[in-house]
Amino acid sequence: MNYTKNAIIDAFWHLLEEKPYGKITVKDIVDYCQVNRNTFYYHFHDIPELLITTIKQNADDTIRLYAQYGSPTDCLTPLIENCVKHKKAILSIYHSVHREDFQNELDRILMHVVAQYISTMAIETGSTISAADEKLFARFFKCALSGILLDWLNANMEYDLLIPFARICDLFKGAGALAFQRASIGTQ
């Protein structure tokens, strides 16, 4: 990605730590990163496009860097840590009019992580399950993880999510293995 575009994105995230999303202006961004307005508009149509671009970029980076491990904990722990590190910015976005965009990207990350997890679990347990059951497991695990993360965001990230999150993932691993066994029995 181009240096100037990255500078604009970095300025935007810095400003999100200082003030609510709805109060950030193009002038704030260009003043912070010392570019002119035309440069901003060369890269982004407006601030909502900048926001959506950065949310998608962060989701893609999370998937690229962490999802290959096959464990929800391994992938989502860095995501949670990054949210905590940028708490004001994340909550500003979450409580903005673009909450749906944020949630859609969160769902995309979770579905990717869960799909990787299910593939890993199938290999580890030697299970063969139907495509319908695989989709059902993926949706169930994604919804469970999404609910946990959304509850945390709704509580303004006021509690430490990492320990209960790791625990619930451990519990799901055992439940998931048992469900895979039952699904395999049903396909034979």
Side-chain angles (χ1 to χ4, degrees):
M1 189 182 302
N2 137 349
Y3 174 80
T4 306
K5 189 173 185 178
N6 276 336
I8 292 168
I9 290 170
D10 290 344
F12 176 64
W13 279 94
H14 178 81
L15 290 166
L16 279 170
E17 293 291 338
E18 294 179 357
K19 58 171 114 179
Y21 167 76
K23 302 274 186 196
I24 296 172
T25 65
V26 171
K27 182 178 180 351
D28 293 333
I29 295 168
V30 299
D31 286 351
Y32 186 88
C33 62
Q34 299 178 338
V35 299
N36 65 43
R37 291 177 74 80
N38 290 338
T39 302
F40 175 89
Y41 289 113
Y42 174 78
H43 293 287
F44 302 99
H45 179 70
D46 54 17
I47 292 176
E49 181 186 338
L50 169 61
L51 173 66
I52 291 166
T53 299
T54 61
I55 291 171
K56 287 180 186 277
Q57 179 183 329
N58 285 338
D60 290 342
D61 289 348
T62 299
I63 289 169
R64 181 178 46 78
L65 292 172
Y66 304 110
Q68 70 273 17
Y69 300 118
S71 162
T73 308
D74 291 343
C75 180
L76 297 176
T77 296
L79 175 72
I80 293 167
E81 289 170 342
N82 193 41
C83 286
V84 169
K85 182 178 173 185
H86 301 288
K87 180 178 179 176
K88 280 182 145 180
I90 296 298
L91 289 175
S92 181
I93 294 167
Y94 183 69
H95 293 300
S96 77
V97 297
H98 294 281
R99 179 182 191 155
E100 186 175 333
D101 296 317
F102 178 82
Q103 285 182 244
N104 288 340
E105 290 305 310
L106 180 62
D107 275 352
R108 187 168 64 93
I109 292 170
L110 293 174
M111 189 53 100
H112 186 84
V113 168
V114 166
Q116 291 290 97
Y117 173 62
I118 288 172
S119 294
T120 301
M121 190 185 311
I123 292 167
E124 286 177 358
T125 62
S127 300
T128 52
I129 62 172
S130 70
D133 281 347
E134 192 170 312
K135 285 180 183 178
L136 182 63
F137 287 148
R139 211 175 234 356
F140 175 79
F141 286 127
K142 189 239 1 145
C143 289
L145 293 174
S146 180
I148 290 167
L149 288 171
L150 291 176
D151 280 349
W152 180 58
L153 289 165
N154 284 329
N156 290 319
M157 300 164 55
E158 290 296 326
Y159 58 90
D160 181 3
L161 181 63
L162 289 175
I163 293 169
F165 179 75
R167 179 68 178 139
I168 200 73
C169 286
D170 286 343
L171 294 171
F172 268 91
K173 187 174 184 177
L178 180 60
F180 262 65
Q181 285 178 333
R182 288 185 176 159
S184 289
I185 292 168
T187 59
Q188 295 175 354

